[in-house]
Amino acid sequence: MTVTDAPLSVEKPRTPSRPAARRNNFELYSWLFMRLSGVLLLFLVLGHLLIMLFLDGGVHKINFAFVAGRWASPFWQFWDLTMLWLAGLHGGNGLRTVINDYSRKDGTRFWLKMLLYVSVLLTVGLGTFVIFTFDPNIG
């Protein structure tokens, strides 16, 4: 039997402890969202701070009546709602990435992400509820 007649065999590579990632573009879209939402949040938050702290008379003028007058305008409701949603999703997405990078066990990763998703959903949901149901005529 010659060398060319012998069957070729290649050892199987070691299997990784984590299964291979699915082929989809979720991480790409997540990366793009972080960049775009970061730029939008920069303008929204700096505009918010500029208006609340400097143009409207400073922090000592912020009270229930101030918020009631501000949220009487759909523009300010939309501004605050956009800031709330972008900040919640941006922070949640960033923390999801940290959890994926640093949690070693699949079970730990799963429960930390479930806790994260529930907390982001509750925070953003409650904030949205407050913005849309705010009643300035409490009394």
Side-chain angles (χ1 to χ4, degrees):
M1 201 155 128
T2 64
V3 175
T4 57
D5 293 337
L8 295 175
S9 68
V10 178
E11 291 182 31
K12 292 181 181 177
R14 295 181 185 173
T15 57
S17 61
R18 287 179 23 188
R22 297 176 309 212
R23 289 287 182 197
N24 63 19
N25 290 328
F26 177 75
E27 291 299 328
L28 171 66
Y29 296 139
S30 171
W31 184 86
L32 284 172
F33 171 76
M34 291 300 277
R35 273 60 189 170
L36 295 174
S37 66
V39 170
L40 283 172
L41 278 168
L42 186 67
F43 289 109
L44 288 170
V45 171
L46 289 178
H48 176 81
L49 289 173
L50 176 73
I51 292 166
M52 298 296 275
L53 298 178
F54 298 112
L55 300 180
D56 277 339
V59 73
H60 64 277
K61 291 186 96 177
I62 299 174
N63 57 17
F64 184 83
F66 179 85
V67 174
R70 185 173 157 102
W71 280 354
S73 166
F75 173 80
W76 291 118
Q77 282 183 328
F78 179 75
W79 182 291
D80 289 346
L81 184 69
T82 305
M83 196 167 45
L84 169 73
W85 274 79
L86 283 177
L89 294 176
H90 183 94
N93 191 29
L95 194 52
R96 178 192 62 83
T97 304
V98 171
I99 290 169
N100 282 338
D101 287 345
Y102 289 103
S103 61
R104 295 182 185 213
K105 296 180 181 177
D106 289 336
T108 304
R109 185 179 308 108
F110 173 79
W111 287 112
L112 285 174
K113 286 187 349 186
M114 285 302 112
L115 184 64
L116 171 67
Y117 296 152
V118 167
S119 63
V120 168
L121 185 68
L122 285 174
T123 304
V124 171
L126 183 62
T128 302
F129 178 74
V130 168
I131 289 174
F132 283 126
T133 61
F134 183 76
D135 183 16
N137 300 319
I138 291 178

